[in-house]
Amino acid sequence: MSPAAAPRGDDAVAGQPGGYTGPARHVAIIMDGNGRWAKKRFLPRAVGHKRGVDAVREVVRAARHMGLEALTLYAFSSENWKRPEDEISDLMGLLRAFIRSDIDEFAANDVRLKIIGDYKMLPADIVELIEDALARTAQGRSTTLAIALNYGSQQEIARAAAAAAAKGAVTVEAIEAELDTADMPPLDLLIRTSGEIRLSNFLLWQAAYAEMWFTDVLWPDFTPGHLREALDHYATRERRYGGR
Ligand code: FPP
């Protein structure tokens, strides 16, 4: 492989805020506003999604540089199948291209890829790409990047409760142990872009005590600086978990 094509195994990316030493371990993002970003520019929605993938790449790099333990991104919900076929196909195409182009960088930088949601319902070649990527990065010890694909939180909770019941006890701990996120740190901060103030069936259980950060920024415009701003705000919050 030529040096130019070598995966980035660097530890200093120009222009990225680094050295985050705040308290957040796990951040999740509802990446919203790709369509509106494109519309504002009289561009096809597909271009908005493509720029959304560029934002994903930069935010994942920033999360790693900041030393976050886990980043969970809502890429495709179980309700997104209701979108027009050509948009679903564009999103699948982008996902396919993203895994192919970025897996070497993840592996080179010790990032562990994880998928939450029922990804086996995706096109067979993507399932194969995902499983290869999961196997290649399984030992990653820097940041866990969880991508939610065909994910619905209510479905996840129902599945987890059924699994807990099958094993005997339906307790909070038993359900938690069956969630897709069971091996991840507790969710600290949930970010949603594009000005919508709702959770849209994302991490409903995990968000029980998470801080929320809503911003009007449309996802393709979301930068590592915005992530840093949300984390800085998070660091000022006093979490009481119901106590006082
Ligand atoms: C919302 O925009 C965004 C999505 C449908 C999911 C996010 C998808 C990406 C960032 C691209 C694929 C991701 C990966 C990881 C390869 P919207 O279309 O709902 O925007 P709108 O509300 O403005 O119409």
Side-chain angles (χ1 to χ4, degrees):
M1 190 184 284
S2 73
R8 296 161 67 133
D10 55 324
D11 251 341
V13 176
Q16 301 251 347
Y20 172 73
T21 53
R25 299 172 65 198
H26 182 180
V27 175
I29 310 182
I30 302 177
M31 310 180 289
D32 198 6
N34 297 347
R36 275 162 285 165
W37 183 94
K39 194 170 180 196
K40 266 178 39 182
R41 291 164 177 76
F42 306 101
L43 292 168
R45 289 179 68 81
V47 178
H49 291 315
K50 192 163 188 305
R51 292 296 292 267
V53 176
D54 295 339
V56 165
R57 186 170 291 118
E58 291 308 317
V59 166
V60 172
R61 283 179 186 152
R64 174 167 62 76
H65 281 270
M66 290 176 194
L68 276 184
E69 278 177 57
L71 176 70
T72 301
L73 301 177
Y74 205 6
F76 194 85
S77 77
S78 44
E79 288 74 36
N80 284 155
W81 296 110
K82 294 181 203 147
R83 293 194 176 204
E85 231 172 86
D86 60 338
E87 184 172 359
I88 294 175
S89 158
D90 287 340
L91 285 166
M92 292 300 145
L94 286 169
L95 178 61
R96 195 179 274 122
F98 175 72
I99 299 172
R100 284 199 183 119
S101 63
D102 286 49
I103 181 64
D104 287 348
E105 182 174 331
F106 296 156
N109 289 291
D110 224 16
V111 170
R112 180 174 74 114
L113 181 70
K114 181 180 166 74
I115 305 294
I116 62 169
D118 194 2
Y119 72 90
K120 294 196 179 175
M121 300 296 285
L122 268 51
D125 70 300
I126 297 186
V127 173
E128 205 175 303
L129 273 175
I130 287 174
E131 292 187 340
D132 175 60
L134 293 175
R136 273 191 65 192
T137 61
Q139 303 307 318
R141 290 286 172 272
S142 63
T143 302
T144 293
L145 168 64
I147 302 185
L149 292 172
N150 190 24
Y151 175 86
S153 183
Q154 292 174 331
Q155 296 88 322
E156 178 197 27
I157 294 168
R159 265 198 315 268
K167 291 182 184 169
V170 185
T171 61
V172 168
E173 293 73 23
I175 291 174
E176 217 145 47
E178 300 293 341
L179 294 172
D180 295 359
T181 50
D183 61 349
M184 297 177 76
L187 181 63
D188 296 308
L189 174 65
L190 179 70
I191 298 172
R192 182 170 188 148
T193 60
S194 91
E196 308 291 350
I197 318 284
R198 55 176 177 266
L199 293 183
S200 300
N201 206 14
F202 188 52
L203 301 181
L204 303 178
W205 180 290
Q206 295 85 342
Y209 290 103
E211 291 288 328
M212 309 273 170
W213 177 259
F214 296 100
T215 171
D216 288 340
V217 173
L218 302 176
W219 176 251
D221 290 329
F222 192 87
T223 63
H226 293 116
L227 175 63
R228 188 56 184 255
E229 192 187 334
L231 285 166
D232 286 347
H233 173 80
Y234 173 82
T236 68
R237 305 296 301 156
E238 184 199 349
R239 294 168 82 194
R240 291 193 292 271
Y241 301 93
R244 50 179 304 223

